[in-house]
Amino acid sequence: MSTLHFASALLPAGWADDVQVVVTDGIITRVTAGTAPGTGDERHGLAIPGIASLHSHAFQRGMAGLAETRGNTADTFWTWRETMYRFALEMTPEDTEAVATLLYAEMLERGFTRVGEFHYLHHDRDGTPYANPAEMATRIARAAEITGIGLTLLPSFYAHGSFGGAAPHAGQRRFICSIDRFARLVAATRAAIRTLPGANFGVAPHSLRAVTPDELAVVAPLAEGGPVHIHAAEQVREVEECIAWRGQRPVEWLLEHAPVDQRWCLIHATHMTATETTALAGSGAVAGLCPVTEASLGDGIFPTREFLDAGGRFGVGTDSNVLVGVTDELRQLEYGQRLKHRQRNVLSGGPGVSTGRALFDTALAGGAQALAQPVVGLQPGARADIVTLDTTHASVAGRSKDAVLDGWIFASGASAVACVWAGGNKVVEGGRHRLRERARDAFNIAMRRLVA
């Protein structure tokens, strides 16, 4: 058991002063506001809950910045994808673990305490399964274990190159599974995380491009009541090809033909009609928004204001991990809406409401739902995922309550995080993860070979 004391903390009911938090076996067991610190309490200034990156492809952290030279044609998501395929074909299991370890340390340093790993780099470089079908998933689990981040592992089913069961691209060979092979991989992946504290499991049919309707009907139940994540409507070309295939748009088709409910998370869902936007909000599913990646890839801008007005729920993810940080995702989300609507404080929700607080609260709840975390935040029963901010930082100093979140999200970058506890363990102190140097060195060794 450990006891922490915070001068100020964001609780589910709002900000409170002089908050004592008792942690037992990685779980918050008692929260008391308005109490003086005890003799043995570890004292800190300002605490907020850690939140989830609900969508990550860890291996792509290794290729950050490697697709920024323009080709002979207009660069798009589809040309970026070719670079990603080439990079993925070179990675060994050791590389994958090294890249994921640095990424997860970075996530923790920047305020994320859980990751939804949408994992599709399954097989050996020639496309044959490893002796352990979950070899790569085991490396992801190992990275989560040694860094301390909470893990929701979402093995992805990927069978085809485009709509209608088209043959896969040669560059996709490490991703491709039959239904039977995927079922074996799912069983092995469950075994890989069975003893990992705080870990849980779902499935991720990759997209309607990569999964036929019959396959989707078989794959989704493999979640066994856990989360189901799927990419949808990320690109205009994807929407056009879906219409040509079935006469419906991707989100429209999913809402009509799949059992989309509170367990589902539709990643991106960027290109929706007003009818789809309202219907997705009404389904109870979470929209998994990845604003930095969506901007990086030129995807487009999600109709966030309209979705929230219809009662929708969203969380944020780091996706391609080209830039990693809670503040980066939330700031980009709001700024995209400002550019779209040519207004300020678009997502605050109403007059007098802090935009930073509105963004943070919504992403906290949406990420928890998407990754099947029934209790989150600084309250009894929640995993002890706690972030303290540096009250001497120029963008935080002298501020209180919601103004702290506004300063952190819109003015500080990543440098205002002081300490982070994940599952009750202090893994970040003074803004640095305890394994930062070791993780960086292993990552650098892998990268020197991969980019040679």
Side-chain angles (χ1 to χ4, degrees):
M1 185 180 76
S2 61
T3 305
L4 308 173
H5 189 277
F6 305 107
S8 180
L10 180 57
L11 307 183
W15 291 96
D17 295 332
D18 291 317
V19 177
Q20 186 184 67
V21 176
V22 177
V23 178
T24 306
D25 295 330
I27 303 297
I28 296 173
T29 52
R30 188 170 73 245
V31 177
T32 308
T35 187
T39 304
D41 292 2
E42 182 177 344
R43 303 183 191 184
H44 295 270
L46 193 152
I48 59 176
I51 74 172
S53 169
L54 58 67
H55 185 68
S56 166
H57 305 304
F59 78 92
Q60 291 179 18
R61 171 62 180 87
M63 61 172 284
L66 294 180
E68 303 304 326
T69 300
R70 184 164 179 165
N72 293 328
T73 60
D75 277 326
T76 65
F77 165 85
W78 307 99
T79 54
W80 170 90
R81 192 175 70 157
E82 296 301 317
T83 303
M84 183 268 287
Y85 289 160
R86 289 192 296 272
F87 188 81
L89 288 173
E90 295 301 317
M91 296 192 77
T92 66
E94 292 78 14
D95 295 335
T96 298
E97 182 176 327
V99 170
T101 299
L102 180 68
L103 169 65
Y104 294 164
E106 291 175 332
M107 284 185 175
L108 286 158
E109 288 177 345
R110 296 167 192 180
F112 289 116
T113 50
R114 173 167 290 273
V115 59
E117 187 59 43
F118 193 115
H119 172 62
Y120 58 81
L121 187 58
H122 297 313
H123 311 310
D124 208 341
R125 285 177 281 189
D126 63 358
T128 59
Y130 290 101
N132 171 10
E135 172 68 28
M136 295 296 245
T138 299
R139 300 298 183 140
I140 295 294
R142 173 63 178 159
E145 179 180 25
I146 63 179
T147 59
I149 199 165
L151 177 66
T152 298
L153 192 49
L154 302 155
S156 178
F157 179 76
Y158 202 127
H160 307 287
S162 191
F163 293 97
H169 185 293
Q172 298 167 333
R173 59 183 178 270
R174 299 192 75 173
F175 319 153
I176 301 302
C177 284
S178 66
I179 289 288
D180 289 343
R181 180 182 289 182
F182 186 69
R184 292 192 293 272
L185 187 148
V186 163
T189 300
R190 286 186 183 277
I193 65 168
R194 189 166 292 136
T195 61
L196 183 60
N200 66 339
F201 186 88
V203 297
H206 180 273
S207 61
L208 292 178
R209 289 183 284 111
V211 181
T212 66
D214 288 345
E215 290 163 342
L216 180 61
V218 175
V219 168
L222 294 177
E224 296 182 0
V228 179
H229 289 214
I230 186 168
H231 294 109
E234 180 178 3
Q235 285 283 321
V236 171
R237 177 174 138 186
E238 175 192 346
V239 174
E240 293 171 344
E241 291 179 351
C242 190
I243 292 171
W245 166 61
R246 280 293 172 106
Q248 290 182 296
R249 305 165 63 87
V251 173
E252 179 187 16
W253 189 94
L254 284 166
L255 291 173
E256 183 173 329
H257 297 282
V260 176
D261 60 13
Q262 290 86 351
R263 295 186 305 115
W264 284 61
C265 180
L266 271 60
I267 306 299
H268 305 303
T270 308
H271 300 286
M272 295 190 292
T273 64
T275 299
E276 287 175 293
T277 299
T278 301
L280 179 60
S283 74
V286 173
L289 308 182
C290 307
V292 170
T293 293
E294 290 153 4
S296 172
L297 298 180
D299 287 345
I301 298 174
F302 180 82
T304 317
R305 184 170 72 179
E306 296 81 358
F307 185 67
L308 291 177
D309 287 347
R313 311 167 191 183
F314 73 76
V316 294
T318 51
D319 195 354
S320 66
N321 298 302
V322 68
L323 184 66
V324 177
V326 171
T327 58
D328 300 291
E329 298 298 342
L330 296 180
R331 183 173 57 249
Q332 181 66 41
L333 178 60
E334 167 68 21
Y335 281 1
Q337 297 300 302
R338 294 184 185 192
L339 291 168
K340 177 182 177 180
H341 295 287
R342 298 188 296 280
Q343 297 175 6
R344 300 190 72 252
N345 296 309
V346 177
L347 302 180
S348 69
V353 179
S354 154
T355 302
R357 175 67 182 278
L359 289 167
F360 187 85
D361 285 353
T362 305
L364 175 67
Q369 178 181 324
L371 301 185
Q373 302 297 294
V375 184
V376 292
L378 306 185
Q379 62 177 316
R383 187 175 188 260
D385 292 339
I386 305 168
V387 175
T388 62
L389 299 180
D390 178 5
T391 55
T392 69
H393 190 281
S395 297
V396 177
R399 306 184 190 209
S400 63
K401 303 187 186 316
D402 291 348
V404 169
L405 292 176
D406 289 333
W408 180 48
I409 292 168
F410 292 106
S412 74
S415 58
V417 170
C419 297
V420 177
W421 291 258
N425 297 312
K426 187 194 282 186
V427 294
V428 173
E429 189 164 13
R432 295 185 69 81
H433 193 278
R434 62 190 181 189
L435 297 180
R436 155 61 73 165
E437 284 74 23
R438 172 181 157 190
R440 179 202 59 201
D441 291 348
F443 176 88
N444 288 348
I445 290 170
M447 289 305 299
R448 290 187 187 105
R449 185 187 65 78
L450 287 166
V451 302

